[in-house]
Amino acid sequence: MNPSDLFRLLLPEAVLLATAFLMLALVAVPALREGNPAWSRLLALTGIIGAALMLLIPLAFGAAGTGSANVLMRPDSLADVGRLWIYLLAMPGLILPGKRSERHGFEQLALYLFAVMGLSLAVCADHFLMLFVALELAALSIYLLAAWPRTREAAAAGIRFFLFGAVASAFFLYGCSLIYGAVPDLTFPAVFEHLSLGQLPDFAVLGVLMVLLALVFKLAAAPLHGWAPEVYEKAPARVVVLIAGASKVTATLVLARLCLFAFPQLAGSAAWGSMKPGWSLWFAALAVVSMLWGNMLALGQRSVRRLLAASAIANAGYALVGFAAGGPLAITMAVFHMIVYALATTGALVIVDRIRQTQGSDDLDAFRGLARRSPWQAAGMVVCFGSLAGLPPMAGFFGKFQLFATALADGGNDLLWLVGVGVAMSAISLYYYLRVLRRVFEGGEGESEKAVSEDGLPHAALWPVTAALGLGLLPPVLLGPLGLAMAKALSAIPPP
Amino acid sequence: MNPLWTMLFSFGGALVCLLVPPSRPTGARWIALIAALGGLVAALLAAARHVPGNPWVFNVPWIPEVGIRFHLAAPGIGIALMLLTGIVGVAGVLYSWNVEKEPRAFHALFLTIIGSVYGVFLSRDAFLLFCFYELVILPKYFLIARWGGKDKEYGAMKLTMYSIGSSALVIAGLGLAWSAAGAATFDIDELASAAPALTVQMIGFPLLCIGFGVIAGLWPFHTWAPTGHVAAPTAASMLLAGVVMKLGAFGILMVAIPLFPDGFAAWAPVLAVLAVVGILHGAFTAYSRRDLKFVIAYSSVSHMGFVLLGLATGNRWGTGGAVLQMISHGLIAGLLFGLAGRVVYDRVHVREFEALEKENLWGRLRWGAVAFIIASAASMGLPGFSGFAAELSVLLGCWSAFPWLVGPVVLGVITTGAFTLRAIQKGFLPGRQPRAASATTPLPPLTWPEISATIVLLAASLAIGLYPAPWWAWVLDGLYQPLLP
């Protein structure tokens, strides 16, 4: 592929980069140096919309997703769908109003765009080091954003996230070096080819495990979830939206690419009675631990943001069930599940942030009487939490149901043990989602109705809530393109 | 107007209820009544136009990627159950005419449940059916937790956790069936013709059967029913006992058995024994309870035992009887809960026999007492009422499939008579206890919604009991063909 083609395929990232630099340049204007005007967010939003258009316009003309390999990048159909959803999921974070007193608004938003760009590049990466650089670009921006308000809380969240993240990065790099010891070429196709010819030595398999663990950290799957509750609770809402949404979907897509494009031969098996070591089995183990740990942790939470962190751990576990099944269909469903989860969580986080502003806390009891104070926010909560709990007609219902069904079909019915754990845990999860929803609809009789019932659904929640409901009524809108993209991307590589 | 309108009326009515301005609570009631009547009319029209062997079908792709279709059909059995839903729905709205607390939301939730129940009875795609089945959970929870009586939080949460546990088993079972059939379709007919391996069937059938059975009140997973029924507001009790429990039985009949026929054949005796234990347990516990609503709730468990027993027999008499019993119990349990909750409790605010004895209901609420006595007679399975035809058929089916179980079942029937007679005697006939001072003032007379709801339900039960032929025709027409010998 010649450089101009590559540039054309990476136009979305170029738009993001240009917008970010423009925002940094604006800081030079003395009047804007300390400010945080509303149009700064609009500008950043325009950047993301522009990036999305750069993806969609070639699609409309049938020119995108050629999938031809470059040494570092493979902006194929899967990457296109992935990038589009990363942008879509990053938008609510920009619509979310920051605190008026917040300083350095432009720099903050530039960092946000850098983070989105990093995530966007990560799903295109076709080389371990390219992947590393892209993920680090996103991660470093996110660490900074988490600690941005310079309060004790935010700093604690930022530092904790950074320390865990640094360890994960070290894992990733060390894993890469081990793989490099066996395959003197770090592109995914090279690893794939090497594996087609013969086994990897044990130390390189360890390297693969380390790389995967570093990515599982991004998913916040147990036992690598230690950062999640604190970051979710204390970091600014904007960055939590990014962490819970776009970043999770990226990690899932990257895992999908690694598992299906780089080393599908190392799958092993998690089937009951015929287990073979490999990533299938590792993911199965992580899935069980995550689902158990996340759901148990969530049962006792009073802070709804912490509850969402625990639910993130649990949902990472459900997604890993798809990976444990190992087939492309199950992994597609895992990606679908993660996107749907990200939408619902984003919507929930935005509404919770609004509650935190109006009620001064995100404790369970702060939600009492929400239905009376603001029926639209209550409706939003029902959609988001209903989707997380997997109730129809919300998207989470189809996502979870089909994820489990496909895991059974892909992994053979011998995966019933793992699906059984997942189904049982997701049944338990309804309890803590209902604990929140229950409060939304009770009490509040004493409050003056007129004064507060004007408070509608926050604008940032509008799109995720609509999507969480709409994708439940019409799942093919997402599943169709996603399945096609996966099939098309897979057809570009030789079968393992 | 095709059967799809049953759902459109209900869901549409639910939406419109929410749009009524809060200052006009009666508007919400009328809208709910019109929507429920619309559903009933649609069901009646469907029944009138029904051609045996050539049911109405609505089949469009929904999620083609995984083979899910929006496939509805109204075979005879669906028609019969739609009629039941329509009747109970109308009666439920009428019995909740006096709900003063947020009537808009109440009726919206009520209509959502009704609409989902229609959806389940019409679905011919396993995923679609399950979707409607799940759609009931949240409205059920909020109806009880928000408008319920004593222990409403506990009852609502317990019911919800049991429901969701049931769903978990159903998900696993449907996943197995889908995967065994080549992961290409959720259509019940196509899944049924796939005939999975015996090992899959042996696991899959109990998953689906227990999953659906939880909601049908299968012993020992029935304990949500008494607490849930008792804690629920009147209309919700009627819906729970009247139609929601039928969803479970319908699931076993239309999904579990056709999908895993060999698994069913192997597990049928176990199901039959559990059903009979349920009949006996429900009847004995009902006899030991002194709270009118608890007695009715446990009698529901007992009567649903007949349904499950009929399903377990797997023959024409038993299965047909089971469906007839579903309809019969739906009407009678709805009526009993309506009378106990709305007519009696909302007037005298007591439900315990000791307290009811002192209330002199025979003297002060003559027609209420008469209605309850007639309803109880129907519940006992007296000839002339729907319960008689239904339970007799189930017993006939049981004779040919499990003759060794007939003895315990008859004991259950006798106990049912005992606790029902006791409820009548303690609660509604002139008592021996000295009357309380307050028990001489007349109670508010029956209102028109109460009277009409009572008449509708009683008339339907009598109609089935006196002339079961069309119902039998519907039921037998709609039964899944390979099931019957």
Side-chain angles (χ1 to χ4, degrees):
Chain A
M1 185 188 289
N2 61 44
S4 73
D5 274 352
L6 187 63
F7 178 73
R8 188 170 54 79
L9 291 172
L10 293 182
L11 259 181
E13 284 80 4
V15 171
L16 289 176
L17 190 66
T19 320
F21 275 129
L22 176 63
M23 308 208 68
L24 288 179
L26 283 172
V27 180
V29 181
L32 300 175
R33 187 159 295 152
E34 299 278 290
N36 184 22
W39 61 267
S40 64
R41 287 185 289 122
L42 204 62
L43 183 61
L45 196 60
T46 317
I48 291 210
I49 294 173
L53 287 179
M54 289 300 141
L55 269 178
L56 289 173
I57 290 172
L59 267 184
F61 292 102
T66 52
S68 52
N70 180 269
V71 183
L72 293 178
M73 312 287 276
R74 183 194 283 270
D76 57 6
S77 50
L78 186 61
D80 282 351
V81 174
R83 286 191 286 181
L84 184 60
W85 277 95
I86 288 170
Y87 303 150
L88 289 173
L89 286 166
M91 282 176 192
L94 289 173
I95 303 171
L96 207 62
K99 287 202 181 68
R100 199 157 288 281
S101 59
E102 225 166 46
R103 296 167 59 183
H104 302 292
F106 284 94
E107 290 99 318
Q108 193 189 359
L109 293 173
L111 272 179
Y112 193 93
L113 291 179
F114 281 132
V116 175
M117 184 182 143
L119 297 174
S120 167
L121 284 173
V123 295
C124 305
D126 203 27
H127 186 286
F128 279 100
L129 286 184
M130 180 65 220
L131 178 60
F132 179 75
V133 172
L135 286 176
E136 281 305 291
L137 172 60
L140 286 171
S141 313
I142 290 176
Y143 303 146
L144 276 173
L145 285 171
W148 197 264
R150 286 200 241 168
T151 57
R152 280 179 73 94
E153 284 206 324
I159 284 287
R160 176 173 273 249
F161 197 18
F162 172 69
L163 289 177
F164 272 84
V167 174
S169 301
F171 259 66
F172 193 102
L173 274 185
Y174 192 51
C176 288
S177 71
L178 288 175
I179 298 173
Y180 192 69
V183 190
D185 183 349
L186 281 176
T187 58
F188 299 167
V191 176
F192 180 88
E193 221 163 276
H194 191 90
L195 274 165
S196 303
L197 299 174
Q199 285 288 319
L200 276 187
D202 286 350
F203 70 84
V205 175
L206 182 66
V208 168
L209 175 61
M210 292 177 86
V211 168
L212 290 180
L213 279 179
L215 287 166
V216 165
F217 156 84
K218 305 262 179 220
L219 269 184
L224 303 164
H225 64 279
W227 56 274
E230 197 150 348
V231 173
Y232 271 61
E233 189 188 6
K234 294 177 175 166
R238 176 171 299 155
V239 68
V240 179
V241 165
L242 195 61
I243 294 169
S247 154
K248 291 270 192 308
V249 172
T250 307
T252 319
L253 279 163
V254 168
L255 275 180
R257 193 179 281 280
L258 285 175
C259 290
L260 293 175
F261 293 74
F263 33 72
Q265 299 91 339
L266 288 181
S269 165
W272 189 256
S274 58
M275 291 190 186
K276 281 200 292 290
W279 48 259
S280 241
L281 192 56
W282 304 334
F283 285 139
L286 288 169
V288 170
V289 178
S290 287
M291 292 187 293
L292 291 173
W293 194 279
N295 283 305
M296 293 306 151
L297 191 66
L299 286 176
Q301 298 302 331
R302 284 201 66 86
S303 152
V304 176
R305 278 233 206 151
R306 282 184 88 91
L307 187 148
L308 286 171
S311 116
I313 299 167
N315 275 282
Y318 304 139
L320 289 180
V321 171
F323 282 92
L329 290 179
I331 291 182
T332 308
M333 273 320 293
V335 175
F336 180 94
H337 166 80
M338 220 53 201
I339 291 177
V340 164
Y341 156 80
L343 284 168
T345 305
T346 306
L349 280 168
V350 171
I351 300 175
V352 171
D353 187 54
R354 175 64 68 87
I355 305 288
R356 212 191 227 194
Q357 283 164 18
T358 55
Q359 305 295 105
S361 142
D362 65 344
D363 187 83
L364 279 177
D365 286 327
F367 288 80
R368 232 172 246 287
L370 182 64
R372 203 164 273 270
R373 289 202 303 274
S374 166
W376 286 107
Q377 285 177 22
M381 288 292 284
V382 169
V383 170
C384 293
F385 276 68
S387 181
L388 288 173
L391 293 173
M394 273 64 88
F397 173 69
F398 172 75
K400 234 188 256 180
F401 179 93
Q402 197 56 36
L403 174 62
F404 289 139
T406 317
L408 282 178
D410 248 8
N413 283 336
D414 302 324
L415 220 56
L416 189 61
W417 69 275
L418 183 59
V419 171
V421 176
V423 168
M425 284 299 124
S426 86
I428 288 177
S429 75
L430 183 67
Y431 175 78
Y432 55 79
Y433 294 125
L434 259 189
R435 273 179 79 199
V436 181
L437 285 187
R438 194 179 86 197
R439 284 173 172 77
V440 167
F441 287 94
E442 72 186 18
E445 274 90 356
E447 297 186 38
S448 57
E449 275 181 42
K450 271 275 155 27
V452 270
S453 63
E454 305 295 315
D455 197 18
L457 195 64
H459 296 242
L462 215 53
W463 140 247
V465 169
T466 317
L469 184 61
L471 284 179
L473 299 174
L474 284 173
V477 173
L478 168 55
L479 189 57
L482 187 62
L484 277 181
M486 182 66 95
K488 204 167 155 196
L490 277 174
S491 67
I493 60 161
Chain B
M1 206 154 52
N2 60 37
L4 192 59
W5 282 93
T6 53
M7 279 147 77
L8 294 180
F9 267 116
S10 311
F11 289 130
L15 270 182
V16 177
C17 271
L18 288 176
L19 298 178
V20 175
S23 52
R24 307 283 297 275
T26 312
R29 294 183 186 120
W30 279 105
I31 287 167
L33 184 59
I34 291 167
L37 277 172
L40 178 59
V41 169
L44 283 169
L45 277 179
R49 290 186 193 159
H50 177 63
V51 183
N54 184 21
W56 169 84
V57 175
F58 180 82
N59 191 352
V60 291
W62 181 22
I63 312 174
E65 285 80 4
V66 294
I68 294 173
R69 304 181 66 81
F70 202 89
H71 185 181
L72 305 174
I77 197 168
I79 301 249
L81 288 166
M82 268 160 56
L83 283 176
L84 165 72
T85 313
I87 295 170
V88 175
V90 171
V93 173
L94 287 171
Y95 273 133
S96 32
W97 210 257
N98 66 336
V99 170
E100 293 296 338
K101 182 174 165 187
E102 297 171 51
R104 300 181 304 153
F106 181 90
H107 286 106
L109 292 172
F110 185 88
L111 287 173
T112 310
I113 298 183
I114 292 281
S116 318
V117 171
Y118 280 127
V120 171
F121 289 151
L122 285 172
S123 298
R124 291 303 295 159
D125 182 286
F127 178 83
L128 185 64
L129 186 146
F130 184 57
C131 204
F132 284 121
Y133 181 81
E134 288 273 283
L135 202 52
V136 177
I137 291 180
L138 264 193
K140 237 169 26 178
Y141 173 82
F142 283 120
L143 267 189
I144 298 177
R146 197 95 181 87
W147 286 271
K150 200 168 147 252
D151 292 334
K152 56 186 180 183
E153 292 284 328
Y154 172 72
M157 193 49 106
K158 186 169 176 183
L159 165 61
T160 307
M161 292 327 286
Y162 269 83
S163 308
I164 203 81
S166 135
S167 314
L169 295 173
V170 175
I171 292 181
L174 288 184
L176 268 184
W178 182 70
S179 133
T185 177
F186 270 104
D187 201 273
I188 293 175
D189 300 320
E190 290 172 34
L191 284 179
S193 59
L198 188 64
T199 45
V200 175
Q201 299 214 17
M202 291 302 285
I203 303 171
F205 182 76
L207 284 175
L208 285 183
C209 182
I210 296 175
F212 285 120
V214 170
I215 294 303
L218 174 68
W219 188 88
F221 308 102
H222 66 284
T223 56
W224 64 268
T227 43
H229 288 5
V230 171
T234 302
S237 311
M238 293 175 62
L239 270 195
L240 278 182
V243 289
V244 172
M245 283 179 101
K246 312 305 177 282
L247 299 184
F250 186 79
I252 295 180
L253 175 65
M254 287 308 215
V255 181
I257 295 178
L259 258 48
F260 301 115
D262 300 339
F264 166 64
W267 285 102
V270 180
L271 177 59
V273 169
L274 290 182
V276 173
V277 175
I279 294 176
L280 291 174
H281 174 81
F284 284 128
T285 317
Y287 191 77
S288 73
R289 290 301 172 128
R290 313 201 62 77
D291 180 314
L292 187 58
K293 248 185 156 179
F294 264 112
V295 172
I296 303 172
Y298 274 106
S299 84
S300 278
V301 173
S302 177
H303 284 128
M304 285 306 290
F306 277 95
V307 174
L308 294 168
L309 176 63
L311 295 179
T313 63
N315 55 38
R316 185 176 287 260
W317 280 109
T319 319
V323 179
L324 212 55
Q325 170 78 345
M326 279 159 74
I327 297 159
S328 156
H329 175 249
L331 297 169
I332 295 166
L335 179 58
L336 287 173
F337 272 118
L339 288 171
R342 170 74 182 89
V343 175
V344 175
Y345 183 77
D346 285 356
R347 286 190 170 73
V348 298
H349 301 290
V350 288
R351 290 198 311 249
E352 291 75 25
F353 287 148
E354 287 79 5
L356 279 179
E357 273 186 319
K358 296 178 190 150
E359 289 292 341
N360 182 24
L361 288 173
W362 179 255
R364 296 162 73 204
L365 194 66
R366 179 68 53 87
W367 286 108
V370 168
F372 192 89
I373 291 167
I374 300 175
S376 302
S379 173
M380 273 189 285
L382 246 56
F385 290 100
S386 51
F388 176 72
E391 290 183 8
L392 191 66
S393 325
V394 171
L395 267 180
L396 287 176
C398 186
W399 260 116
S400 61
F402 313 106
W404 41 279
L405 274 175
V406 171
V409 175
V410 170
L411 181 62
V413 174
I414 295 169
T415 319
T416 304
F419 74 71
T420 315
L421 284 175
R422 198 182 57 139
I424 295 175
Q425 187 227 339
K426 297 272 185 188
F428 296 91
L429 291 181
R432 293 180 299 277
Q433 300 242 351
R435 290 170 187 173
S438 66
T440 47
T441 52
L443 288 167
L446 296 182
T447 58
W448 69 265
E450 292 168 346
I451 296 172
S452 39
T454 310
I455 288 176
V456 166
L457 289 171
L458 262 183
S461 174
L462 261 176
I464 299 176
L466 292 176
Y467 188 54
W471 298 82
W472 262 115
W474 282 326
V475 167
L476 291 182
D477 162 54
L479 277 185
Y480 199 71
Q481 292 306 323
L483 187 74
L484 295 168

